[in-house]
Amino acid sequence: MGSGQKKLTGAYYAGVGRGTAYEDDLFFSHVLSGGNVRAVAAVADGMGEGLGGLRAAQAATGMIKSLLVARIYNLRDRNFSELELSELLKESMQKANARLLRMAGETPMGATLTAMVFTDDFTVLGHVGDCRAYRLQEGRLKQLTEDHAVGIALTRRLGKDPAMQIDLSVEQVRDGQIFVICSNGLHSRVGDAEMSETLEQTEDLNQACVDMVNLAMERGGLEADCASAIVVECGRYTRKPATQPLPTQEPAFMGPTGQPQEPIILDHPLPGQDQPAPRPSMARRKKPAQAKPKPSRANAAAKMRLPKFSLDKISRKQALIIGGSSIGLILLALIIGGLMTGLQGAPASTAGSGPGVFSKLVVSLIGLGIPAGGIWWWRNKGASDKLRRAFERYK
């Protein structure tokens, strides 16, 4: 390197969003040149259905690499002026726009793009959309681009207007500077002060990119957009010592006796939180499930017992006692009835009274025999199960 050549160190990192699809594309490339161009960097943020956003972003950065970097390499021994590099960068972005317009004819898509070409003395910046470029110098972070957006609606992007305007600017390059190019997924969630602090207190550029992108992804939540960042350090930037709070030790859980105890583990985790599984000693013990035996015919018959006071409860001896008592009561009633009839002056002829008393006795015996026989028949399982169940329901 000659005396005017500066050391450029570049790093980049992209965070894949947890939303619908990955839509960022970026690159940093050192240029093998004998002239004054040292590196080219670009960040694109695509938009489109499905993978359309990623295709749009790749088409935008691909045109910068295939056209701009290729031309610089073909003229690698040339010291480009600010105007020449500005025209080369403008032409590359215009062709990227034309390519996206052709692609959008099939599937609607577009992209924002911010690109920088670094030389020993200056950098040329081209910008369309809401990606941003910053410069950190002596602790002050300055935004070098202007967002082409109103709220969340873009007013300028690739793939929208054939006569798209491109913002071009030139910045001087000095030792002790850091340039940042990032997508809106990063700068919309990480403030300028946080970005400046991270860059000043992190020695490793790669780690600085990772820290900023991860912070943006954490704040984006489950629907986080992609976040991408390129950091280019010119020479050596003077870092500041990190200001971190003193480490604190978590207090242990204290029991009634003042002795430390293990933390309590919830049996039911809170919504949205992953809790460790409870230990076996704390888990609720459950008896192992046992298969229920299939009921046999004997068990089914045992379950079909009649309710209390059913006729099945009457023994044979009780049935005989009931039957005998009933016969005795009927005979006693007949005798008493006959005596009362005689006392009332009924006809005394034997022919008239004999058959009447005998017929009454036969009818009484038949009336008593029917229920007694029914009890005996029921007791000896003469009735069918269906009839017995019907009788019990009626009862």
Side-chain angles (χ1 to χ4, degrees), residues 253-268:
F253 289 88
M254 306 300 293
T257 60
Q259 298 296 327
Q261 294 183 349
E262 295 184 356
I264 299 175
I265 300 176
L266 298 177
D267 288 340
H268 303 283

Side-chain angles (χ1 to χ4, degrees), residues 26 47 74 91 164 210 242 267 320 349:
L26 74 170
M47 57 206 70
N74 290 334
E91 181 184 1
M164 176 196 64
V210 172
D267 288 340
L320 291 175
S349 65

Side-chain angles (χ1 to χ4, degrees), residues 43-363:
V43 172
D45 184 2
M47 57 206 70
E49 297 182 359
L51 295 177
L54 178 59
R55 292 179 56 201
Q58 290 175 341
T61 57
M63 189 60 67
I64 300 297
K65 289 185 286 186
S66 62
L67 182 59
L68 178 63
V69 177
R71 288 192 176 182
I72 292 174
Y73 179 76
N74 290 334
L75 301 172
R76 53 186 174 274
D77 294 331
R78 182 185 182 89
N79 290 325
F80 290 93
S81 65
E82 298 176 0
L83 180 59
E84 289 174 330
L85 285 179
S86 297
E87 288 297 326
L88 286 177
L89 180 56
K90 180 180 179 181
E91 181 184 1
S92 301
M93 296 182 69
Q94 287 176 339
K95 291 196 173 183
N97 181 50
R99 182 177 180 183
L100 283 180
L101 285 171
R102 291 193 300 270
M103 295 172 63
E106 303 173 358
T107 303
M109 61 179 61
T112 63
L113 176 64
T114 299
M116 298 183 73
V117 182
F118 293 90
T119 69
D120 294 325
D121 302 318
F122 61 89
T123 177
V124 177
L125 171 61
H127 168 70
V128 173
D130 59 356
C131 291
R132 288 183 182 178
Y134 295 89
R135 181 187 63 208
L136 178 64
Q137 182 175 343
E138 297 179 354
R140 294 188 296 272
L141 187 69
K142 180 182 179 182
Q143 182 177 336
L144 304 178
T145 57
E146 179 182 354
D147 294 342
H148 301 147
V150 177
I152 61 174
L154 292 172
T155 59
R156 204 186 306 177
R157 61 176 174 82
L158 300 178
K160 180 181 180 181
D161 184 6
M164 176 196 64
Q165 296 182 358
I166 301 172
D167 290 350
L168 294 170
S169 60
V170 177
E171 301 290 334
Q172 297 301 311
V173 174
R174 301 170 183 169
D175 288 337
Q177 292 177 328
I178 294 180
F179 290 90
V180 180
I181 311 173
C182 62
S183 66
N184 69 324
L186 177 68
H187 66 70
S188 62
R189 304 186 186 102
V190 180
D192 293 358
E194 294 172 315
M195 194 181 302
S196 176
E197 181 179 357
T198 302
L199 294 172
E200 286 192 304
Q201 297 181 0
T202 307
E203 292 285 343
D204 187 1
L205 289 183
N206 291 286
Q207 189 61 47
C209 290
V210 172
D211 292 345
M212 292 189 297
V213 170
N214 285 342
L215 179 59
M217 301 301 293
E218 290 175 2
R219 292 178 177 176
L222 296 177
E223 300 298 328
D225 191 8
C226 303
S228 303
I230 298 176
V231 178
V232 181
E233 183 177 3
C234 302
R236 175 65 180 172
Y237 186 88
T238 304
R239 261 64 173 192
K240 294 181 180 180
T243 56
Q244 297 180 354
L246 295 176
T248 57
Q249 184 177 1
E250 293 186 17
F253 289 88
M254 306 300 293
T257 60
Q259 298 296 327
Q261 294 183 349
E262 295 184 356
I264 299 175
I265 300 176
L266 298 177
D267 288 340
H268 303 283
L270 297 176
Q273 296 182 356
D274 295 330
Q275 297 288 346
R279 297 184 177 180
S281 60
M282 300 180 63
R284 297 179 180 176
R285 297 181 179 178
K286 295 183 179 180
K287 295 182 180 181
Q290 298 180 356
K292 295 183 179 180
K294 188 175 181 179
S296 61
R297 292 185 177 180
N299 293 335
K303 289 183 178 180
M304 290 173 56
R305 292 177 180 175
L306 296 175
K308 194 174 182 180
F309 305 113
S310 66
L311 296 177
D312 284 345
K313 298 296 183 180
I314 302 176
S315 64
R316 294 183 181 180
K317 184 177 179 180
Q318 291 173 340
L320 291 175
I321 292 173
I322 293 172
S325 300
S326 300
I327 293 174
L329 291 174
I330 293 174
L331 291 175
L332 182 61
L334 291 174
I335 293 171
I336 294 173
L339 293 175
M340 292 179 66
T341 303
L343 292 175
Q344 293 176 359
S349 65
T350 307
S353 61
V357 174
F358 180 76
S359 62
K360 290 180 180 179
L361 180 61
V362 172
V363 172

Side-chain angles (χ1 to χ4, degrees), residues 6-74:
K6 293 180 176 60
K7 180 182 178 181
L8 295 179
T9 305
Y12 54 91
Y13 183 72
V16 178
R18 287 161 284 185
T20 56
Y22 179 58
E23 295 182 342
D24 284 6
D25 193 55
L26 74 170
F27 80 93
F28 171 82
S29 176
H30 282 286
V31 179
L32 300 176
S33 172
N36 61 343
V37 178
R38 295 286 166 257
V40 178
V43 172
D45 184 2
M47 57 206 70
E49 297 182 359
L51 295 177
L54 178 59
R55 292 179 56 201
Q58 290 175 341
T61 57
M63 189 60 67
I64 300 297
K65 289 185 286 186
S66 62
L67 182 59
L68 178 63
V69 177
R71 288 192 176 182
I72 292 174
Y73 179 76
N74 290 334

